[in-house]
Amino acid sequence: MIPKARKAVFPAAGLGTRFLPATKAQPKEMLPLVDKPLIQYGVEEAIHSGLQDIIIVTGRGKSAIEDHFDVSFELEHLLETRGKKDLLALVRGISDMIDISYVRQKEALGLGHAVLRAKELVGKEPFCVVLSDDVIDAEIPCLRQLQDVYEFYGASVVALMEVPKESISAYGVVDAEPVDHMGQSGRLFRIRNMVEKPKAEDAPSNLAIIGRYVLTPEIFTSIEAVEPGRGGEIQLTDGLKHLLRSRPVYGYKFEGKRYDAGDKLGFLQATVEFALKRYDLGGPFRQYLKSLPL
Ligand code: UTP
């Protein structure tokens, strides 16, 4: 029987340079989309996808993430004495959400290196990886979609998205052949090769890897085998390329919309669309946008 993934690793030790100066003293993962930090969207997606354990890879200056998911006695006491029951439930709900463990990446030596830091906590079982600055709005949570594929084939699966040629050089891009899956074609691919940030003319396809993965534990040995690249960084894409030599790796074009909230424009787009969807803010916010002389 194929074992299910139970744990999700959240690499959150990057420097967030694309969002300076906001990220100088504040983790990118704590930037609020409407009123919730980015990482909470990812954690909720993991919970709604059936995961039971969260492992967050943090670094220097990231303590706000731990505080956010911890109990806040003073705040809870204050809300209780003021009779603010709804807010109290909201705040308590965050710390009661799920078990979270933390591991540190002392230096930001790349996404592959960050994932490797979780090796001991993950153990020898399949696991998910969530990059919380990729916010995905989907009817069926993206991680759930990937796990359904994983549970069918028992092989690693990465999330894929079609990207226009002019922006493909910002992504890991796959060379892949389509596979019919559950009577569907055009969503599932068996990956032949992948290239990190290719020039548009060298890109093997328009299918880019997005920040959701289900990985088998062999990925750790593959990451360990990778030579560090520029700046001593170890890339997850290189680890996956190594894994491809001995194991199948699939890509799944998920259903849903992804926002690159680690980028200023992507963050603004996500903010507007999420605010418009909110039951309490959507109406007045739409009115306000309509009143602007655009
Ligand atoms: P990004 O590519 O978004 O890098 O990392 P970054 O450094 O955070 O941001 P920019 O590009 O400088 O603006 C994708 C994910 O991998 C994590 C980041 O925290 C983010 O969630 N990461 C990256 C690490 O945990 N460690 C690293 O060494 C690099």
Side-chain angles (χ1 to χ4, degrees), residues 11-19 28-29 105 108-111 114 131 133:
L15 299 176
T17 54
R18 284 173 297 153
F19 227 115
K28 166 172 74 174
E29 296 75 12
Q105 184 191 26
L109 289 177
L111 177 57
L131 307 189
D133 47 352

Side-chain angles (χ1 to χ4, degrees), residues 113-180:
H113 183 264
V115 171
L116 192 56
R117 296 293 302 127
K119 181 180 171 183
E120 300 304 324
L121 287 174
V122 168
K124 290 187 177 24
E125 52 179 285
F127 64 104
C128 299
V129 173
V130 178
L131 307 189
S132 54
D133 47 352
D134 274 340
V135 177
I136 299 177
D137 187 22
E139 216 162 287
I140 300 171
C142 181
L143 268 189
R144 187 63 254 160
Q145 297 180 41
L146 297 192
Q147 284 185 97
D148 287 343
V149 175
Y150 164 76
E151 285 165 19
F152 196 87
Y153 294 93
S156 296
V157 192
V158 305
L160 295 178
M161 185 179 97
E162 281 180 19
V163 166
K165 203 170 177 186
E166 55 276 14
S167 42
I168 198 87
S169 60
Y171 295 87
V173 183
V174 299
D175 171 12
E177 79 189 86
V179 176
D180 283 342

